[in-house]
């Protein structure tokens, strides 16, 4: 064959026809098709980047909200601690006062009538204190329920953040794979 170059393999007449006419060879068309298949359109890439930026922004907002909720939780825990200490002090004061009154009543039999009257007053005060203690215990229970709800909310938010992070990781992997394919 006159047009063939020895050892050139596929560089025969058909190759020179494509070179001279300016038309792409079947091999070149196949390479173009493979490149088009492996590349991501710029619009698609920009859309994914915008979605990623939006997700990062939402993630930042969620972290800020989580920090605020944590601050509220820490404040509520501080209040519970203060109320618990106050309740304990009042209980000790109350128990000490009650003990003193009973001891005094036993030692002073000559003032029995006066002490009985005074004991009635103290018992009334005790009942008021017990009501007050019960009210404070109920308040503590309500605060504990609030904390429990806050913990559940925080767990849910943490779970949502983990899911979002996995989604972001997946998107990053997909983009990385597409970029690698585009570089080949």
């Amino acid at each position: 064959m006159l047009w063939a170059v020895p050892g050139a393999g596929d560089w025969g007449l058909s190759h020179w026809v494509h070179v001279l006419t300016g038309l792409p060879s079947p091999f070149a068309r196949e390479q173009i098709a493979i490149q088009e298949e492996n590349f991501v359109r710029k619009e698609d890439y920009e859309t994914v980047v915008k979605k990623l930026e939006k997700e990062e922004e939402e993630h930042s907002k969620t972290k800020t909200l989580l920090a605020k909720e944590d601050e509220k939780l820490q404040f509520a825990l501080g209040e519970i601690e203060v109320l618990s200490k106050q309740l304990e002090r009042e209980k000790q004061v109350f128990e000490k006062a009650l003990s003193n009154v009973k001891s005094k009543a036993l030692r002073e039999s000559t003032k029995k009538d006066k002490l009985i009257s005074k004991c009635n007053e103290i018992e009334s005060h005790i009942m008021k204190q017990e009501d007050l203690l019960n009210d404070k215990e109920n308040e503590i229970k309500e605060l504990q329920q609030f904390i429990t709800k806050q913990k559940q909310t925080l767990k849910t938010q943490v779970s949502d953040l983990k899911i979002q992070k996995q989604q972001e990781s997946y998107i990053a992997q997909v983009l990385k794979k597409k970029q690698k394919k585009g570089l080949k």
Side-chain angles (χ1 to χ4, degrees):
M1 181 181 234
L2 190 59
W3 292 95
V5 177
D10 198 23
W11 288 73
L13 179 63
S14 65
H15 170 73
W16 292 111
V17 168
H18 291 291
V19 168
L20 294 175
T21 60
L23 297 173
S25 69
F27 177 74
R29 284 192 300 264
E30 183 179 323
Q31 290 300 316
I32 291 170
I34 289 172
Q35 285 180 350
E36 287 177 355
E37 184 179 309
N38 288 336
F39 284 100
V40 176
R41 291 189 356 225
K42 183 177 180 179
E43 295 83 20
D44 292 343
Y45 173 77
E46 289 174 351
T47 300
V48 170
V49 167
K50 286 179 183 176
K51 284 182 182 178
L52 180 60
E53 288 172 352
K54 185 175 181 182
E55 286 185 24
E56 287 173 348
E57 181 181 326
E58 290 298 321
H59 177 70
S60 175
K61 288 179 184 177
T62 303
K63 281 177 73 175
T64 302
L65 180 62
L66 180 62
K68 288 179 182 178
E69 291 299 322
D70 185 53
E71 186 177 316
K72 289 179 186 177
L73 177 62
Q74 293 304 320
F75 179 75
L77 289 172
E79 285 184 342
I80 288 174
E81 186 177 340
V82 168
L83 289 173
S84 296
K85 287 179 181 178
Q86 181 182 351
L87 181 62
E88 186 59 35
R89 283 193 303 268
E90 289 179 8
K91 183 178 178 184
Q92 289 174 357
V93 167
F94 167 73
E95 288 174 354
K96 186 176 180 181
L98 180 61
S99 175
N100 289 339
V101 169
K102 286 183 178 179
S103 295
K104 206 175 202 182
L106 292 174
R107 286 185 305 220
E108 303 211 12
S109 60
T110 57
K111 297 180 183 179
K112 182 179 178 182
D113 292 337
K114 288 183 181 180
L115 287 177
I116 289 173
S117 175
K118 192 170 185 176
C119 283
N120 288 337
E121 290 175 17
I122 290 173
E123 286 177 1
S124 174
H125 179 69
I126 288 170
M127 290 169 69
K128 289 178 183 177
Q129 288 293 320
E130 285 177 348
D131 288 342
L132 189 69
L133 289 175
N134 286 335
D135 290 342
K136 290 189 179 198
E137 285 175 1
N138 289 336
E139 185 178 342
I140 287 173
K141 286 178 184 177
E142 289 175 8
L143 287 171
Q144 287 172 336
Q145 289 174 350
F146 174 75
I147 288 171
T148 301
K149 287 179 184 177
Q150 289 296 322
K151 283 181 182 178
Q152 185 59 41
T153 300
L154 290 174
K155 284 180 184 178
T156 302
Q157 290 175 347
V158 167
S159 176
D160 290 345
L161 286 173
K162 285 181 182 177
I163 291 169
Q164 185 177 1
K165 186 175 180 182
Q166 289 173 349
Q167 289 172 344
E168 290 173 1
S169 174
Y170 174 74
I171 289 172
Q173 287 176 356
V174 168
L175 287 174
K176 192 172 185 180
K177 284 180 183 178
K178 287 188 176 187
Q179 287 176 347
K180 283 183 181 179
K181 286 181 179 180
L183 293 175
K184 288 184 180 182

